[in-house]
């Protein structure tokens, strides 16, 4: 795995904050951020449901592997130099509940800051993914 693409909700202030934090971190594996549901995301990844990428962060590896939800967050941490040890701990089956809880908490923050949390996908380029 040489590169990872993170599909994130660019219209969510919390998601943008997370992206801004990640891009400032030293990366062992380069991370590219792409707006979920965008025309470019649909062009690159036609097999991935755009609406699902707006509900859960999704990471696509250059080898075709797709990660979403807690697994996506673990992969992002794994790509970061200073956070790989944490990712390896969270990837262990015993830590899965902790990873799920962290993602659920992030989801609640996201719902609180999103202008219209009931309409994920409403910001897609041509309304095809909502």
């Amino acid at each position: 795995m040489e590169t990872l693409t993170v599909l994130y909700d660019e219209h969510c202030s919390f998601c943008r904050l997370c992206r801004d934090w990640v891009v400032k971190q030293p990366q062992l594996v380069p991370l590219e951020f792409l707006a979920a549901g965008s025309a470019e995301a649909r062009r690159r990844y036609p097999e991935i449901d755009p609406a699902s990428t707006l509900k859960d962060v999704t990471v696509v590896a250059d080898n075709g592997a797709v990660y979403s939800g807690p697994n996506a967050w673990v992969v992002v941490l794994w790509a970061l130099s200073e956070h790989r040890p944490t990712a390896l701990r969270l990837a262990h089956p015993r830590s899965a509940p902790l990873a799920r809880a962290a993602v659920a908490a992030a989801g609640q923050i996201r719902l609180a800051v999103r202008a219209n949390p009931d309409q994920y996908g409403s910001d897609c380029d041509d309304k095809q993914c909502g």
Side-chain angles (χ1 to χ4, degrees):
M1 198 176 326
E2 294 183 26
T3 61
L4 296 165
T5 300
V6 181
L7 302 173
Y8 76 104
D9 184 351
E10 70 177 342
H11 299 284
C12 168
S13 59
F14 179 69
C15 298
R16 290 191 312 269
L17 181 70
C18 291
R19 177 207 57 206
D20 293 346
W21 177 81
V22 168
V23 299
K24 292 175 185 174
Q25 305 303 307
Q27 299 176 6
L28 296 170
V29 178
L31 293 162
E32 172 191 16
F33 286 81
L34 183 60
S38 68
E40 179 63 14
R42 288 192 310 276
R43 184 190 67 74
R44 285 197 212 177
Y45 309 111
E47 69 284 358
I48 299 176
D49 174 34
S52 70
T53 65
L54 284 159
K55 290 181 182 175
D56 289 314
V57 65
T58 303
V59 176
V60 184
D62 58 359
N63 65 7
V66 178
Y67 307 90
S68 64
N71 293 333
W73 285 107
V74 170
V75 170
V76 168
L77 290 174
W78 177 83
L80 302 177
S81 175
E82 296 174 15
H83 300 283
R84 186 168 275 185
T86 300
L88 294 173
R89 283 191 299 276
L90 288 172
H92 192 279
R94 286 186 305 208
S95 298
L98 177 60
R100 284 193 299 274
V103 170
Q108 291 303 311
I109 292 169
R110 184 169 179 229
L111 285 174
V113 300
R114 187 165 172 84
N116 191 346
D118 294 326
Q119 292 186 343
Y120 287 114
S122 63
D123 299 319
C124 293
D125 287 347
D126 62 6
K127 308 296 184 204
Q128 291 182 8
C129 64

